Amino acid sequence: MDGQIYHPPRNKKTNELDTELHYATVLPPEILSSLDAILVLGGGVPPNPHDPPIYVKDRCRIASDIFRYRQQQYQAASSSSSSPSSSSSPPLPPPRILALSAGTAHLPQLMSQHLRLPVWESTVSASYLLKELAVPSEYVFVETTSFDTISNAFFARTSFTDVVGWRNLLIITNEFHIERTKAIFDWIMGAAPSTRSHPS
């Protein structure tokens, strides 16, 4: 089934993301409660290994807000389900956050200062999620192979969602990139798995 587009709330005066509201409130409750993973697209060369571009920070903040909302729901439900009188089904844990992208194909790669090794866009997003937004490390994953939106979707599926069994996904990007992202992820995630046998 094709994905749906949800727009986060913005301040009417400044058009900035509205930090006074839970971004989770934009999502229908049945979508929010069933999320397996949140995929955060990278975008552009970061200035340093812990500081993604400003619009990627917005993506990370939305992901962390939705994660935190689900985490609070999970903790509350876990407490109530531990009661002997509770007959409800076990609560689902909060979704994992998968940061995507090794780099941007047409831009120079950020290199580490001392070792001169590549710094992946996804690890910068992950560092921001961990250090600035306090998302627990066991919920943060990184994909370090892709260099464009098509390979974002391809490697997210082949290295993570199909392998781990994540089915209900939320992909976070910016409005200037949303139509392309939706078309690509609908295509890649909706493609039938290969049935070809491989020689052993």
Side-chain angles (χ1 to χ4, degrees):
M1 184 175 69
D2 287 352
Q4 302 298 313
I5 294 175
Y6 304 101
H7 297 277
R10 290 185 175 274
N11 185 293
K12 292 181 179 179
K13 293 182 179 179
T14 65
N15 202 36
E16 299 292 328
L17 289 174
D18 194 335
T19 57
E20 298 300 316
L21 295 175
H22 267 302
Y23 304 131
T25 60
V26 176
L27 301 176
E30 65 274 14
I31 299 293
L32 179 63
S33 63
S34 65
L35 286 176
D36 295 317
I38 302 169
L39 279 53
V40 178
L41 271 69
V45 181
N48 65 64
H50 308 290
D51 191 27
I54 185 65
Y55 49 89
V56 179
K57 288 181 180 179
D58 283 345
R59 301 173 191 180
C60 291
R61 280 194 288 270
I62 293 171
S64 69
D65 186 81
I66 294 170
F67 169 85
R68 196 78 59 205
Y69 190 90
R70 271 284 304 276
Q71 184 183 46
Q72 291 168 356
Q73 287 187 323
Y74 176 65
Q75 291 169 344
S78 297
S79 298
S80 62
S81 65
S82 64
S83 170
S85 61
S86 173
S87 59
S88 59
S89 58
L92 292 174
R96 274 51 180 172
I97 300 178
L98 173 60
L100 300 174
S101 189
T104 301
H106 61 280
L107 295 174
Q109 189 79 30
L110 176 67
M111 306 296 286
S112 62
Q113 186 173 4
H114 300 295
L115 298 178
R116 304 304 298 165
L117 295 173
V119 177
W120 311 124
E121 289 179 9
S122 58
T123 60
V124 178
S125 296
S127 178
Y128 187 75
L129 286 161
L130 295 170
K131 295 182 177 181
E132 297 298 326
L133 301 174
V135 177
S137 60
E138 63 267 29
Y139 288 95
V140 179
F141 296 77
V142 294
E143 175 276 311
T144 58
T145 313
S146 62
F147 283 85
D148 57 30
T149 310
I150 294 176
S151 54
N152 284 166
F154 179 82
F155 288 110
R157 179 173 179 180
T158 58
S159 298
F160 291 91
T161 65
D162 279 8
V163 176
V164 184
W166 296 336
R167 292 292 176 264
N168 298 314
L169 309 174
L170 178 68
I171 295 96
I172 299 181
T173 188
N174 292 81
E175 292 190 29
F176 64 79
H177 191 233
I178 201 165
E179 296 296 341
R180 171 179 169 81
T181 299
K182 182 181 184 304
I184 288 171
F185 274 82
D186 282 347
W187 169 43
I188 298 291
M189 294 297 178
S194 173
T195 58
R196 291 185 301 173
S197 60
H198 298 279
S200 57

